[in-house]
Amino acid sequence: MTTRPFGSDSAAVSVIGQGTWYLDHGDRRMAVAALRAGLDRGMNHIDTAEMYGEAEPLVAEAIAGRRDEVFLVSKVLPSNASRAGTKAACERSLRRLKTDRLDCYLLHWRGGVPLAETFAAFADLQREGKIGAWGVSNFDVGDLDEALDIAGPGAIACNQVLYHLQERAVEHGVLPWCAANGVALVAYSPFGHDDFPEAGTAGGKVLARIAQAHGATPRQVALATLTRHGNVFAIPKASSAAHAEANAGAMALELTAEDHAAIDAAFPRGPRKRHLPML
Ligand SMILES: NC(=O)c1ccc[n+]([C@@H]2O[C@H](COP(=O)([O-])OP(=O)(O)OC[C@H]3O[C@@H](n4cnc5c(N)ncnc54)[C@H](OP(=O)(O)O)[C@@H]3O)[C@@H](O)[C@H]2O)c1
């Protein structure tokens, strides 16, 4: 499975996409090449944010001449998320990304501005053709209920949340809520940001064994595990073409029921948490 509809948006979006947080902190030429290599391998989903420093201009360079291939996502900071502030932030992101539209625009996390204001700005931006779909990020079930009450069914394309093998809290409530309401769940930090299970650990050994059986890598197994649910996407960040290409390879990996059982045993979901974890 390489693409699927993105929640309420019918666009064909790659199941594995490309994150860009901290991408501007390393070698810029390599980072641009990584995003392009990812696009070459079908990872059309590129995730950025006004918060990510120089990442938006870097994305602009990577997608120059290829804009139509990309499902481009950016995010407004909660401190900018008033009706006027959201629209101004979007204009700034469009300028930095050197494009005239975003495919999806997200509220990065919930802040003090009433959701109705931000969502009204998203609707304005949609009418103006500046964004295709819109969504939210770091929303727990209560926030999603409130968002749905305000926006109505079919309006919220996605909820982007922390989801990796060692942090499966979303499976208790957020993931089923999204599946039931036609909302895509986008797994951010799918490798745990900088905490991927080490090769020598019990979990690392399980991943290595399954990876070897499929001619894959442990990280590919992790991505295939997270995206086994029909409404889930993952957006690993890669700073090199080799890493991007390896991540794209996860889209061809089909795990068995036995694999999933072994991974579930090695990385248990854990008890329900009081608050949705976020980075
Ligand atoms: N909405 C939110 O609040 C939120 C929060 C956090 C993140 N995000 C989004 O999610 C994206 C991904 O999360 P993340 O950047 O925190 O971390 P991540 O994707 O979980 O992990 C990134 C780390 O994995 C390494 N890596 C990637 N591909 C690899 C490969 N094939 N082999 C070996 N190592 C590999 C990277 O190394 P290299 O850099 O050397 O390739 C980097 O050290 C972000 O970039 C951002 O777009 C959103």
Side-chain angles (χ1 to χ4, degrees), residues 18-23 47-49 51-52 75 106 108-109 137-138 160-162 164 187-196 217 219 235-240 242-247 278-279:
Q18 310 195 68
T20 64
W21 191 27
Y22 287 113
L23 202 54
D47 177 76
T48 191
M51 194 188 95
Y52 298 166
K75 315 185 195 77
L106 311 184
H108 208 145
W109 64 89
S137 178
N138 296 302
Q160 188 182 118
V161 288
L162 180 65
H164 56 85
Y188 74 66
S189 305
F191 295 146
H193 187 65
D194 56 4
D195 190 22
F196 192 74
T217 69
R219 284 177 192 259
I235 47 167
K237 166 256 188 182
S239 309
S240 67
H243 282 178
E245 286 165 4
N247 296 342
M278 62 183 280
L279 282 194

Side-chain angles (χ1 to χ4, degrees), residues 49-50 53 56-58 60 89 91-98:
E50 64 168 333
E56 286 183 325
L58 194 155
E91 295 290 352
R92 288 195 299 273
S93 284
L94 292 175
R95 271 199 300 281
R96 283 194 296 265
L97 287 160
K98 294 195 166 64

Side-chain angles (χ1 to χ4, degrees), residues 47 59 63 75 90 115 138 156 166-167 187 202 206 218-219 239 254 277:
D47 177 76
V59 169
I63 66 173
K75 315 185 195 77
C90 182
L115 293 181
N138 296 302
I156 307 163
Q166 301 183 94
E167 184 44 86
V206 171
R219 284 177 192 259
S239 309
E254 301 250 359

Side-chain angles (χ1 to χ4, degrees), residues 20-66:
T20 64
W21 191 27
Y22 287 113
L23 202 54
D24 57 325
H25 287 215
D27 183 295
R28 185 183 175 97
R29 196 181 41 82
M30 268 180 68
V32 168
L35 289 173
R36 287 185 182 154
L39 282 179
D40 292 343
R41 299 292 170 110
M43 293 198 294
N44 67 355
H45 180 180
I46 296 184
D47 177 76
T48 191
E50 64 168 333
M51 194 188 95
Y52 298 166
E54 284 302 298
E56 286 183 325
L58 194 155
V59 169
E61 192 178 333
I63 66 173
R66 309 181 68 166

